[in-house]
Amino acid sequence: MPEGKYCFRRPLQTEEDILHLLSDTRGTNYYKEMEELEVDTEALKKRLDATCKSRLRTWLDICARCGLCADSCFLYRVNDRNPEQVPSYKVQTTLGEIVRKNGNVDTKFMLHAMEVCWSRCTCCSRCAQYCPHGIDMGQMISYTRGLLYSQGFVPWELKIGSGMHRVYRAQMDVTEEDWVETCEWMAEENEEEYPGLTIPVDVENADIMYTCNAREPKHYPEDVAEAAILFHIAGENWTVPSSGWEQTALCMFAGDWEACKMQVQNVYDAIERLKPKRVVGTECGHAHRASVIEGPYWCGRPDGKPPAPYIHYVEWVAEALRTGKLKIDPAKRIKEPVTLQDSCNYVRNYGLSEITREIISYIVEPGYFVEMAPNKDYNYCCGGGGGFNGVGRYRAQRNKALKTKRDQILATGCKLVIAPCHNCWDAIRDLEEEFEIGIRWTFLKPLLLKMVVIPEHLRPAEEEE
Amino acid sequence: MYEFLTGPMLWVTFTVFIVGCIWRVVRYVRGLSWQLDRVAYRPHFALGARHALKSVFYWLVPFGSRSWREKPGMTILFFAFHIGIVFVPLFLEAHAVVAKQRLGIAWPSMPAGLADGLTIAMLVAGAGLVIRRLALPEVRIITTGYDYLLLAITMAPFVTGLACRMDLPGAEGWLLAHLVTGHLMLLAIPFTKLSHMVLYFCSRAQLGMDFGIKRGGERGRGIVW
Ligand code: SF4
Ligand code: SF4
Ligand code: SF4
């Protein structure tokens, strides 16, 4: 069968497309059809010629097959050191094979490659730090996902997710109206407690333009409110764009590079339209990777930078605490053992390990912060990265992967985990559900709100003495 | 035969070896693409270069990188093997003599005892690498015949060279074998995975730039990628 009714090579372009695929519960028919989906070897070969250049080919060629990357991969370790989880093996048997055969691979192979690329690697790039040749298997798997996606071999949820980005410029069906309404609603909801609180939409030349993760307006609107309250307390001159507010890119996990470009261009357009001094993104790792680290390249910005300085939420928090825009009530600092999840995407892949610890120094009573081991740039993935969290087909594998973080947390003895990354936060929630180790987990925003000093003039009238 | 292998053929081999290596590097650099690799090589060249050098350097120092420190056994095998393979052929007295006589080049050399020691260490390490490949499941699964072949190609000139040095019976045969395997190794470098002799510097530098320019070089502290 060349292509099926549910499973086909072309991306989802319209709302109907998305609804059609969503109607196929859990992708049952989708995966069934995939078993017979033909590979367009000509197209695959063309894509290889156009995109597989010297860096990837050299990496494939000179890999010394030394196995030094094995221990670096949490999936190898957590899967009882199964040799099939050695990063080099995973790449050589997928991308390596496609390149050796110059695209001449069959459906069975593609199904296998899909399983490897989405259930045996979270593209966390930890292995890149351990390879003598500087081979980054995370990037190679990510590249391979692009090849697979172009042929229609992609997990159902991610096919839909990247379709969402194409249709709504958001990972979920949150429209511009939904977004603006949520902002208004959240401002109203909290106005009483914080007089003067607003969520200003589309203000030009503000100091800060704020962008977030579509899950926030969709499922956790209080997160939007918390961001607003903290900006309000800090006295920031800020705004949100009516369009271009969504910062994530599930299409990046899907390997749909075209959608990645559409998605981030929308954010950059908002920056160019509103001309903020800088942009602050929410507590999300992959959002930061998409819009700040990789996004400029998708959009062809030669300097590799977004149109305005674009910082991660932790950078804004550290700065606000450092400059006294946010003041912590010493009596309310955390006085229980607490640990911190270093998100791969903005720590290992963006260098923000120290700044998160600076935040800790303000909000945790000295002596109560316990580091995970390993940590900072060497931290392991939470277990749900790279789209792993969202793919039903690989739930069992994902749950196993969570054991790494579970054991790291257990070893700290802490009951509280600070996780300033959406995806890590989700993974930690899931691991608690799965293993019930009795922990709590939190973003920075609600924590800060509990301990920040509210300046006199911002308090509600009746509280004034 | 000896005359030929240390005369005209030496020129041929050296030419193929050097031109081949240069060609591999040129092809590598030309195949880089800032947009496909997602690294803005040019606009942040100084930052990138700094981290590229740092990355190359720390991985060339025994125990210089975290990876080397976490795997001390492998590190010792690796460095014993590579130090021998690089320095013995370059600075062996007998080679300096040939260079002087046949090519008219004055070349420095190292004491014979040191050369012997390094050769033996290299061979022992080579054997260790073979055993490691066989013994560790995570290495066995990625090892192919090609990897053993390359180990054989690199170790053969050392085995035969050592045989000459120890005056084993059949001296002339050993010398000839040494010459042939030596040529073979040099010729194999540009065309096989042994090209990592030069490409290591390229890919290592590339990752240093990648992390240096876009993945935190400006913000991270003291990490070697
Ligand atoms: S550490 Fe690097 S060279 Fe060694 S097997 Fe892994 S990817 Fe290949
Ligand atoms: S990128 Fe992460 S998950 Fe993937 S192979 Fe490397 S260490 Fe393992
Ligand atoms: S979810 Fe968090 S820990 Fe996991 S790969 Fe992404 S950033 Fe890393």
Side-chain angles (χ1 to χ4, degrees):
Chain A
M1 176 183 64
E3 295 192 81
K5 256 176 69 199
Y6 296 93
C7 190
F8 38 73
R9 282 189 280 277
R10 87 183 152 75
L12 307 184
Q13 305 275 25
T14 61
E15 195 161 34
E16 294 77 74
D17 274 350
I18 293 175
L19 291 175
H20 173 63
L21 217 54
L22 274 173
S23 70
D24 176 25
T25 319
R26 280 189 289 275
T28 322
N29 294 310
Y30 176 84
Y31 288 121
K32 211 180 286 156
E33 289 178 2
M34 194 186 278
E35 311 265 322
E36 320 227 336
L37 180 65
E38 272 170 21
V39 184
D40 182 348
T41 53
E42 264 317 296
L44 191 54
K45 179 178 170 343
K46 264 203 206 119
R47 186 171 270 264
L48 277 179
D49 288 343
T51 59
C52 191
K53 300 290 186 196
S54 70
R55 184 178 68 150
L56 291 179
R57 286 185 192 266
T58 304
W59 276 349
L60 285 174
D61 276 358
I62 67 171
C63 167
R65 312 291 185 107
C66 65
L68 276 178
C69 48
D71 271 329
S72 69
C73 179
F74 78 108
L75 286 165
Y76 166 75
R77 301 172 75 110
V78 82
N79 283 291
D80 315 310
R81 312 176 76 86
N82 178 354
E84 291 185 2
Q85 291 274 4
V86 173
S88 170
Y89 181 82
K90 291 186 268 201
V91 170
Q92 294 291 346
T93 51
T94 54
L95 182 60
E97 201 62 12
I98 298 177
V99 168
R100 264 189 296 282
K101 296 199 170 142
N102 206 359
N104 253 316
V105 290
D106 59 13
T107 305
K108 199 164 153 254
F109 170 85
M110 295 296 262
L111 282 164
H112 165 74
M114 177 177 88
E115 195 262 330
V116 173
C117 287
W118 277 283
S119 82
R120 301 192 202 172
C121 177
T122 60
C123 303
C124 73
S125 283
R126 191 174 190 272
C127 46
Q129 299 179 122
Y130 285 84
C131 168
H133 279 307
I135 298 175
D136 188 336
M137 295 298 177
Q139 293 208 16
M140 295 177 93
I141 292 284
S142 173
Y143 173 78
T144 314
R145 287 181 178 190
L147 299 180
L148 293 165
Y149 174 86
S150 72
Q151 293 286 331
F153 293 89
V154 54
W156 179 72
E157 290 87 347
L158 292 174
K159 177 105 181 184
I160 295 170
S162 84
M164 291 280 187
H165 283 288
R166 286 168 175 267
V167 175
Y168 300 103
R169 298 292 185 273
Q171 61 161 287
M172 293 168 174
D173 55 348
V174 182
T175 62
E176 240 176 86
E177 294 75 58
D178 297 340
W179 161 246
V180 173
E181 261 171 38
T182 307
C183 290
E184 284 164 4
W185 168 44
M186 278 299 119
E188 270 165 36
E189 191 91 335
N190 292 281
E191 225 175 2
E192 214 169 299
E193 207 176 331
Y194 301 94
L197 178 77
T198 55
I199 300 185
V201 181
D202 282 340
V203 177
E204 284 181 28
N205 302 311
D207 290 341
I208 287 172
M209 178 179 113
Y210 179 67
T211 57
C212 63
N213 175 328
R215 303 173 69 76
E216 295 169 9
K218 180 89 178 177
H219 297 302
Y220 313 95
E222 62 279 8
D223 195 294
V224 180
E226 287 160 357
I229 296 168
L230 285 164
F231 283 141
H232 176 68
I233 295 174
E236 295 285 15
N237 164 19
W238 72 294
T239 187
V240 293
S242 54
S243 95
W245 53 273
E246 153 73 313
Q247 202 198 329
T248 70
L250 284 186
C251 31
M252 170 171 73
F253 294 156
D256 181 358
W257 307 123
E258 204 186 13
C260 286
K261 179 177 174 173
M262 295 176 183
Q263 171 59 46
V264 77
Q265 189 61 55
N266 200 38
V267 179
Y268 291 177
D269 287 347
I271 298 177
E272 267 150 5
R273 182 162 46 88
L274 300 180
K275 299 180 268 311
K277 289 210 181 65
R278 48 185 192 159
V279 190
V280 177
T282 188
E283 294 178 69
C284 186
H286 105 264
H288 191 71
R289 186 167 188 164
S291 45
V292 182
I293 313 176
E294 313 282 2
Y297 298 93
W298 297 332
C299 287
R301 299 184 61 85
D303 66 349
K305 307 264 188 211
Y310 204 139
I311 62 176
H312 189 273
Y313 202 72
V314 297
E315 293 181 276
W316 178 78
V317 170
E319 181 197 285
L321 292 168
R322 197 185 310 137
T323 56
K325 279 184 194 171
L326 291 180
K327 285 200 186 63
I328 299 297
D329 179 348
K332 294 185 183 157
R333 294 215 278 191
I334 299 176
K335 290 183 196 59
E336 67 164 291
V338 57
T339 189
L340 171 72
Q341 161 64 2
D342 285 302
S343 149
C344 312
N345 283 327
Y346 65 82
V347 174
R348 169 164 40 258
N349 288 311
Y350 198 66
L352 297 185
S353 61
E354 296 305 328
I355 220 152
T356 42
R357 279 150 185 86
E358 186 186 346
I359 297 173
I360 296 285
S361 75
Y362 290 99
I363 63 173
V364 179
E365 190 75 8
Y368 287 97
F369 176 53
V370 189
E371 289 276 13
M372 279 186 205
N375 58 20
K376 300 184 183 173
D377 298 66
Y378 294 98
N379 195 20
Y380 293 124
C381 168
C382 58
F388 212 1
N389 265 348
V391 179
R393 187 177 168 95
Y394 304 132
R395 185 42 47 99
Q397 292 95 314
R398 200 288 310 259
N399 286 348
K400 184 145 198 205
L402 295 176
K403 286 185 178 169
T404 304
K405 197 53 62 186
R406 177 199 66 182
D407 294 344
Q408 274 184 292
I409 295 172
L410 282 174
T412 65
C414 299
K415 294 285 170 216
L416 179 61
V417 186
I418 302 178
C421 166
H422 257 275
N423 210 46
C424 302
W425 189 97
D426 285 352
I428 293 168
R429 175 202 55 204
D430 288 1
L431 84 82
E432 174 58 30
E433 235 168 56
E434 182 73 12
F435 303 107
E436 299 184 3
I437 56 173
I439 52 165
R440 288 165 287 123
W441 56 97
T442 177
F443 285 115
L444 282 170
K445 295 180 196 107
L447 262 189
L448 287 165
L449 271 181
K450 267 188 245 156
M451 53 180 91
V452 74
V453 179
I454 301 176
E456 203 78 39
H457 67 283
L458 295 180
R459 293 185 199 162
E462 62 269 24
E463 254 186 45
E464 273 170 24
E465 284 140 271
Chain B
M1 193 64 177
Y2 175 82
E3 299 286 307
F4 173 71
L5 286 173
T6 55
M9 188 60 198
L10 208 51
W11 287 109
V12 173
T13 299
F14 277 160
T15 310
V16 171
F17 164 65
I18 292 168
V19 173
C21 285
I22 294 175
W23 170 72
R24 298 276 328 217
V25 172
V26 170
R27 207 173 59 150
Y28 181 87
V29 175
R30 288 177 49 149
L32 291 176
S33 151
W34 70 270
Q35 207 172 348
L36 287 174
D37 302 345
R38 302 194 205 129
V39 185
Y41 298 112
R42 262 175 231 269
H44 308 285
F45 192 77
L47 183 67
R50 203 166 71 234
H51 284 94
L53 288 175
K54 190 172 161 184
S55 189
V56 168
F57 176 76
Y58 279 97
W59 282 86
L60 287 179
V61 175
F63 304 103
S65 70
R66 179 155 171 146
S67 192
W68 288 143
R69 287 193 292 278
E70 283 187 12
K71 293 272 182 270
M74 174 59 178
T75 305
I76 291 166
L77 289 183
F78 175 92
F79 280 96
F81 189 76
H82 282 87
I83 289 172
I85 223 171
V86 171
F87 290 101
V88 173
L90 263 182
F91 300 114
L92 191 75
E93 215 179 341
H95 287 181
V97 171
V98 175
K100 183 85 197 136
Q101 281 177 351
R102 314 283 304 178
L103 310 176
I105 303 168
W107 198 257
S109 63
M110 63 165 90
L114 179 60
D116 289 345
L118 290 179
T119 306
I120 291 164
M122 180 270 181
L123 288 173
V124 171
L129 289 173
V130 171
I131 294 170
R132 181 175 175 276
R133 283 200 184 280
L134 292 167
L136 301 182
E138 75 268 28
V139 195
R140 195 163 59 225
I141 194 169
I142 45 182
T143 300
T144 61
Y146 182 48
D147 297 291
Y148 291 117
L149 177 70
L150 290 178
L151 272 167
I153 289 178
T154 46
M155 287 168 72
F158 290 80
V159 173
T160 50
L162 200 65
C164 295
R165 166 90 179 130
M166 297 194 314
D167 277 331
L168 290 191
E172 242 169 70
W174 283 117
L175 183 59
L176 213 57
H178 178 63
L179 286 167
V180 171
T181 52
H183 279 277
L184 194 67
M185 178 174 103
L186 283 174
L187 289 172
I189 289 175
F191 302 104
T192 63
K193 205 194 280 184
L194 298 177
S195 57
H196 74 261
M197 178 183 162
V198 286
L199 291 176
Y200 157 80
F201 293 92
C202 298
S203 68
R204 194 71 257 166
Q206 195 283 330
L207 200 77
M209 286 195 133
D210 184 336
F211 272 94
I213 291 171
K214 89 163 183 184
R215 294 205 252 170
E218 287 170 301
R219 293 159 293 274
R221 296 189 323 183
I223 303 285
V224 178
W225 300 289

